[in-house]
Amino acid sequence: MNVETREKLYEGKAKIVYETDRPGTIVQYFKDDATAFNALKKGTIVGKGVINNRMSATLFERLERAGVPTHYLATLSDREMLCRRLDIIKIETIVRNVVAGSLAKRTGLEEGTAITQPVVELYYKSDPLGDPMLNDEHVRMLRLATPAELTWMKRTALKINTILKPHLARRGLLLVDFKLEFGRQSRKLYLGDEISPDTCRLWDSRSKEKLDKDRFRRDLGGVEEAYQEVYRRLVTGEVSTK
Ligand code: UDP
């Protein structure tokens, strides 16, 4: 596809966003840079950008086929994705199937405890504030989204879980939790950002080995190998014998 990138609109921790010559679109460029703990920890995960770009594309395509509107339009190269240009809603929506990370800390439940009914959480997308947790009333107070938008976002987040969890399970991956971002274009809502080992917790179904960014956050080693393993299982379709 012949798309020209124009001005840089925004550079984030893991991606750069460019304007393009096609109105209403942007290009997401996926970097190898990794940060954690509100950018206190910084590093590089070699090859991550390529893996996150390809994995996100595969999953966005699957979600579209299942009726979830996403910002994904086309894969332009190893690290570049053409997307709809969204007005991003400043809420991170998290869905959880298994206790991990901040939920373990907040509740005292052991990491790995199964959750019978998936839990949806909302966080304020604000680096200076360190992404604090919000409830529906705070969303209303801050006018981050209308009640109808919030209802749609929560329902869509659960629908995405229903689609992705069994898909990943068939590839030997336990979808522990994941983060979503939504945005508006022409008064319609779309799923934005990315779906990758940066934004999901993925454990090997059998061994429960961590195959995601927690390997970087917690200095577990084998970070690149974990991303490659997820890529193999989800993108190239190889089934692991583990
Ligand atoms: N997550 C993310 N970006 C954030 C915060 C969380 O992608 O800014 C993802 C994280 O990778 C995990 C899920 O959201 O899959 C839940 O994260 P949690 O609240 O447990 O965060 P932690 O404090 O452990 O990073």
Side-chain angles (χ1 to χ4, degrees):
M1 190 179 280
N2 210 358
V3 180
E4 268 180 47
T5 56
R6 295 267 160 93
E7 221 170 297
K8 190 199 277 191
L9 290 173
Y10 164 83
E11 177 152 6
K13 296 163 218 159
K15 293 189 289 294
I16 308 173
V17 177
Y18 295 96
E19 227 169 17
T20 81
D21 58 346
R22 296 188 182 209
T25 72
I26 52 107
V27 164
Q28 292 198 123
Y29 178 92
F30 288 76
K31 302 191 282 186
D32 285 351
D33 299 351
T35 61
F37 313 117
N38 206 10
L40 282 176
K41 183 183 170 96
K42 290 196 176 97
T44 304
I45 302 173
V46 177
K48 169 172 89 79
V50 177
I51 289 173
N52 288 4
N53 182 32
R54 299 275 177 196
M55 174 172 163
S56 294
T58 306
L59 296 180
F60 282 143
E61 282 170 359
R62 178 166 289 271
L63 291 172
E64 283 280 355
R65 288 199 298 275
V68 175
T70 79
H71 71 156
Y72 175 77
L73 294 171
T75 298
L76 300 179
S77 72
D78 259 3
R79 291 177 184 272
E80 290 171 304
M81 178 188 283
L82 182 70
C83 299
R84 284 174 204 280
R85 184 172 184 164
L86 302 181
D87 160 30
I88 289 286
I89 295 172
K90 292 204 167 304
I91 298 172
E92 299 192 342
T93 305
I94 288 180
V95 181
R96 300 179 179 274
N97 297 304
V98 176
V99 174
S102 70
L103 184 63
K105 286 206 193 93
R106 187 174 305 109
T107 59
L109 291 170
E110 202 183 325
E111 189 158 86
T113 309
I115 302 170
T116 326
Q117 201 184 326
V119 169
V120 179
E121 295 173 348
L122 308 171
Y123 291 85
Y124 190 7
K125 202 172 138 54
S126 162
D127 286 337
L129 297 177
D131 299 349
M133 197 183 203
L134 297 176
N135 66 24
D136 295 34
E137 311 237 341
H138 300 128
V139 170
R140 176 170 50 80
M141 182 188 80
L142 293 166
R143 297 203 171 100
L144 298 176
T146 67
E149 285 174 333
L150 188 57
T151 302
W152 184 90
M153 287 162 59
K154 290 204 273 187
R155 192 163 35 86
T156 305
L158 286 171
K159 179 174 176 177
I160 291 168
N161 189 45
T162 306
I163 299 161
L164 294 186
K165 197 178 153 213
H167 172 63
L168 295 169
R170 284 192 292 274
R171 312 295 176 103
L173 295 169
L174 174 63
L175 180 59
V176 171
D177 55 35
F178 57 98
K179 187 263 296 184
L180 302 171
E181 294 184 23
F182 296 98
R184 315 171 182 98
Q185 187 186 67
S186 311
R187 297 168 74 203
K188 202 177 159 273
L189 290 178
Y190 296 87
L191 173 65
D193 195 43
E194 65 178 281
I195 307 177
S196 70
D198 274 12
T199 63
C200 302
R201 282 198 173 91
L202 300 164
W203 295 355
D204 179 81
S205 303
R206 260 184 246 166
S207 68
K208 304 289 184 281
E209 186 191 351
K210 293 180 189 357
L211 297 172
D212 55 55
K213 198 171 149 188
D214 271 349
R215 301 207 73 84
F216 168 77
R217 290 188 192 103
R218 303 180 188 187
D219 294 321
L220 299 175
V223 186
E224 275 90 1
E225 291 78 3
Y227 277 68
Q228 281 159 15
E229 180 59 27
V230 170
Y231 181 81
R232 267 195 291 280
R233 293 191 197 185
L234 284 177
V235 182
T236 58
E238 285 169 41
V239 180
S240 165
T241 48
K242 260 191 195 172

